Amino acid sequence: MADKFISIEGIAKRYPGAGGATTTIFENLWLSMARGEFCCVIGHSGCGKTTVLNILAGLDAPSEGAVIVDGQAISGTSLDRAVIFQSHALLPWRTVLGNVAYAVSSKWRSWDRAKVRAHAQKFIDLVGLSGAEHKRPSELSGGMKQRVGIARALSITPKMMLMDEPFSALDALTRGTLQDEVRRICLETGQTAFMITHDVDEAIYLADKIFLMTNGPGAVLAEVVENPLPRDRGRTDLHRHPLYYALRNHIIDFLVTRSKTFTTEKPDHDPRNVPTVQIGKPGLSIASDAKPEAPRETSWPGLSRPSTSS
Amino acid sequence: MMTTSLRLRAGLVSLVLLAAFLGIWHLATRSTAQVTTMSPEYAKLMGLTATQGKSAMPGPLDVGAKLWEHLKRPFYDNGPNDKGLGIQLGYSIARVGTGYLLAVLVAIPLGFLIGMSPLLSKALDPFIQVLKPISPLAWMPLALYTIKDSSISAIFVIFICSIWPMLLNTVFGVATVRKEWINVARTLEVGTVRRAFTVILPAAAPTILTGMRISIGIAWLVIVAAEMLVGGTGIGYFVWNEWNNLSITNVIIAILLIGIVGMLLDQILARFTRMVTFPE
């Protein structure tokens, strides 16, 4: 990919372990994202997903390597990179408006109160929280709190959004609605998004590219899976797409078995040139194991459903 | 509905308990001893206990009457050993207030520094651990020797006793601010000073105020003892002076007032604590 808006170049994270030994969470990790791309990272707990996100955010520094955003190596946090925290991280002593306004006034320090409020209000309206501006976070439901977190992140008009399992603490219904909204907002504003998730369906619905990470410690980025689903996919008919199950099975197979065995099975894995998997294009795919994905999908009953019913 | 009736019933029980206490007190201190006949001159010397069989311990009615006298003239000043209770309490409250405010001014900024710096926290910990358990009155001779002023020495003792709970609570509150709130400020590129005031201070405020509430309680406990030592003015001195005068009635009144003022100070700080507490 020619356009590398974000490029993670050979980063490593090591922690001093017991008895002078060091624990390597991951090392020599390379990945890149194009402008406006929505990327999801999937991997088991402990593979360093959150560490990668924190390094991208600037909250954590890599032990080695560098992160380049828009042609510049990052050092520390930036208002260009907004973070949506898993636990929403709202300031409980501030109202909804106060929380968003805090971010707005941090970005534009010379703005007066009225201007800050008006700008914050715009983003509260955007996430559908009009009328709840003066409520405190304790008076909001989990989904509403996360909406405030999204409004706060968007209000500073960042170049990219970093999301650490933003919907994992929500019930399925709320999660679905918020996924729709995040997808809509990201498409409308052309956000570049980096999201950690454990939910395979969430990744398939939201992501353009899915990064699969092996188990830690010593985790590596095993594959980059390109989402074959069209960009204007909808939540309700997602599973009717002929490549949906192939994609889903590929990811689940990885999580269930290959994430454990990948490093031993592929000793020649080059972390600088991670294979890109293009499901549905067998000629182009560089699937890491010999199992071809495309022929197998014909045997799935789900595949014939759209053609017979419609 | 439920809560109002509960409060009403609790108030009623409180009143019954108070009435029972006053009744028992009254019965226990009423005149029972035999009255002996003696010459009027001798009787005058012996006092009411010997002549009318009156109990040496004042009853609730004596205390009530004396209290009413005090309340009518709280601010009279008849020289060093005879001042109104209002004046004496005023001296004590002024000393507590000065020492306490000085402690606030030192403890909260210092606690912020220690709480934000793991190095300072570790370096100062042994000093705090040694200084904290020292009885504030143990400082009194040193204070008198160096300051050479008994009133300022009392203020110093209040300062030294109220600083520790505030300092430790500020350190704890600042050091345990949720990492995610700090991270929010960091991702928004909020500077250190603004972060301290907009994130750390509000997040630590309930803990700091709790420390301040503990401190005012301790300061009010200590002032009575300190004033008994330094003498001159104040409610502590009043208690000791009335003990020397053998006026048990005045001692009881002073005890009652110390309790009421202590409760009011605590309530004020409790109200401030509620103001800064946020529900999560």
Side-chain angles (χ1 to χ4, degrees):
Chain A
M1 199 155 294
D3 177 21
K4 279 188 183 179
F5 178 54
I6 290 149
S7 177
I8 292 180
E9 307 200 338
I11 59 167
K13 189 69 193 176
R14 297 190 177 90
Y15 290 102
T22 52
T23 313
T24 303
I25 308 299
F26 54 80
E27 59 187 348
N28 206 12
L29 184 83
W30 297 72
L31 65 83
S32 63
M33 279 180 262
R35 198 182 290 270
E37 216 168 25
F38 200 120
C39 301
C40 278
V41 186
I42 289 191
H44 288 288
S45 303
C47 73
K49 303 183 299 282
T50 300
T51 311
V52 173
L53 184 129
N54 282 344
I55 290 171
L56 265 174
L59 290 169
D60 207 343
S63 313
E64 268 169 37
V67 176
I68 290 160
V69 175
D70 213 3
Q72 273 198 312
I74 63 161
S75 60
T77 57
S78 161
L79 283 158
D80 290 338
R81 284 167 272 133
V83 183
I84 298 177
F85 296 88
Q86 181 177 11
S87 53
H88 59 77
L90 300 178
L91 305 177
W93 54 90
R94 284 173 177 268
T95 59
V96 168
L97 186 65
N99 266 288
V100 181
Y102 184 64
V104 175
S105 60
S106 300
K107 170 124 188 184
W108 295 282
R109 290 176 199 196
S110 56
W111 282 14
D112 58 41
R113 275 176 81 91
K115 201 168 179 191
V116 167
R117 281 179 78 115
H119 185 88
Q121 185 67 51
K122 206 164 74 193
F123 286 89
I124 292 169
D125 296 342
L126 183 74
V127 296
L129 278 180
S130 316
E133 299 86 353
H134 300 293
K135 288 199 168 144
R136 306 222 170 235
S138 58
E139 301 168 82
L140 302 178
S141 67
M144 287 166 92
K145 282 181 201 165
Q146 199 51 281
R147 279 168 195 265
V148 183
I150 295 166
R152 177 172 65 186
L154 289 169
S155 70
I156 56 172
T157 57
K159 286 184 188 164
M160 75 174 302
M161 295 223 286
L162 306 167
M163 297 175 258
D164 187 358
E165 298 183 42
F167 311 130
S168 62
L170 305 177
D171 63 275
L173 205 65
T174 317
R175 191 186 310 151
T177 330
L178 278 186
Q179 282 167 356
D180 289 342
E181 301 220 5
V182 162
R183 185 168 162 74
R184 174 178 62 83
I185 290 164
C186 283
L187 286 176
E188 275 172 16
T189 57
Q191 280 294 332
T192 310
F194 182 85
M195 178 173 181
I196 293 175
T197 180
H198 275 122
D199 183 340
V200 175
D201 288 311
E202 180 171 271
I204 294 173
Y205 178 51
L206 293 174
D208 302 315
K209 264 197 317 202
I210 299 162
F211 298 118
L212 300 179
M213 282 182 82
T214 64
N215 291 1
V220 298
L221 175 60
E223 284 174 3
V224 179
V225 180
E226 281 190 3
N227 194 336
L229 271 55
R231 249 204 141 172
D232 60 342
R233 53 189 172 258
R235 161 179 307 288
T236 45
D237 56 356
L238 196 68
H239 60 285
R240 292 174 198 270
H241 191 274
L243 294 173
Y244 172 80
Y245 281 104
L247 175 64
R248 194 168 192 276
N249 291 339
H250 182 83
I251 298 170
I252 288 180
D253 281 344
F254 178 85
L255 285 176
V256 172
T257 52
R258 290 175 51 227
S259 61
K260 294 184 211 73
T261 56
F262 184 84
T263 25
T264 45
E265 277 174 14
K266 300 273 291 180
D268 58 338
H269 179 68
D270 178 8
R272 279 199 78 154
N273 293 302
V274 177
T276 302
V277 178
Q278 289 171 309
I279 286 165
K281 297 180 195 166
L284 294 171
S285 86
I286 319 166
S288 310
D289 52 0
K291 281 180 270 175
E293 297 297 329
R296 202 172 54 173
E297 72 196 13
T298 50
S299 62
W300 285 96
L303 265 180
S304 55
R305 221 188 301 149
S307 48
T308 48
S309 62
S310 58
Chain B
M1 208 40 212
M2 191 69 193
T3 47
T4 45
S5 99
L6 181 68
R7 281 171 87 175
L8 205 74
R9 283 181 291 155
L12 214 65
V13 173
S14 296
L15 278 178
V16 170
L17 286 174
L18 179 68
F21 169 72
L22 290 175
I24 292 168
W25 182 11
H26 179 73
L27 289 177
T29 53
R30 98 205 121 124
S31 312
T32 47
Q34 277 195 327
V35 182
T36 44
T37 44
M38 56 186 82
S39 74
E41 292 285 307
Y42 187 57
K44 219 174 181 180
L45 281 171
M46 289 299 284
L48 295 173
T49 313
T51 53
Q52 292 173 17
K54 189 173 168 32
S55 166
M57 193 70 181
L61 294 174
D62 305 311
V63 173
K66 192 83 184 167
L67 183 63
W68 180 239
E69 251 177 68
H70 280 297
L71 288 179
K72 274 194 294 187
R73 296 174 62 222
F75 297 113
Y76 72 90
D77 189 351
N78 295 343
N81 277 338
D82 193 8
K83 291 187 206 301
L85 266 176
I87 291 184
Q88 302 287 30
L89 277 174
Y91 274 112
S92 298
I93 292 171
R95 284 192 189 115
V96 166
T98 316
Y100 180 77
L101 282 180
L102 285 172
V104 170
L105 290 180
V106 174
I108 291 176
L110 189 65
F112 245 81
L113 271 177
I114 300 175
M116 288 176 89
S117 151
L119 173 76
L120 269 181
S121 174
K122 281 210 156 47
L124 290 178
D125 188 61
F127 297 103
I128 295 172
Q129 294 303 331
V130 169
L131 291 172
K132 188 179 61 147
I134 298 172
S135 163
L137 292 172
W139 292 97
M140 189 60 98
L142 201 60
L144 287 169
Y145 179 71
T146 47
I147 302 172
K148 296 186 175 66
D149 181 296
S150 63
S151 193
I152 298 177
S153 296
I155 291 171
F156 172 77
V157 167
I158 295 303
F159 167 81
I160 207 85
C161 78
S162 43
I163 200 164
W164 306 116
M166 279 194 260
L167 184 67
L168 291 174
N169 268 45
T170 308
V171 170
F172 179 75
V174 168
T176 55
V177 172
R178 287 234 218 121
K179 191 97 188 350
E180 55 188 51
W181 296 337
I182 304 277
N183 279 347
V184 167
R186 284 178 64 200
T187 55
L188 294 173
E189 293 189 75
V190 173
T192 316
V193 177
R194 186 160 178 255
R195 194 197 305 174
F197 281 101
T198 56
V199 176
I200 298 172
L201 186 61
T207 320
I208 296 174
L209 261 292
T210 305
M212 289 175 70
R213 191 173 166 192
I214 299 169
S215 280
I216 197 82
I218 293 176
W220 190 245
L221 288 179
V222 167
I223 191 66
V224 175
E227 283 171 346
M228 282 180 179
L229 276 175
V230 297
T233 48
I235 193 73
Y237 169 71
F238 177 84
V239 172
W240 204 248
N241 200 29
E242 293 305 315
W243 163 237
N244 286 336
N245 291 342
L246 267 182
S247 172
I248 304 297
T249 316
N250 274 335
V251 170
I252 293 173
I253 288 171
I255 289 172
L256 185 67
L257 286 176
I258 291 169
I260 290 171
V261 172
M263 181 188 76
L264 290 177
L265 291 175
D266 187 62
Q267 292 298 310
I268 292 169
L269 265 296
R271 173 150 298 186
F272 286 146
T273 311
R274 272 199 299 278
M275 274 165 58
V276 298
T277 303
F278 47 83
E280 286 204 43

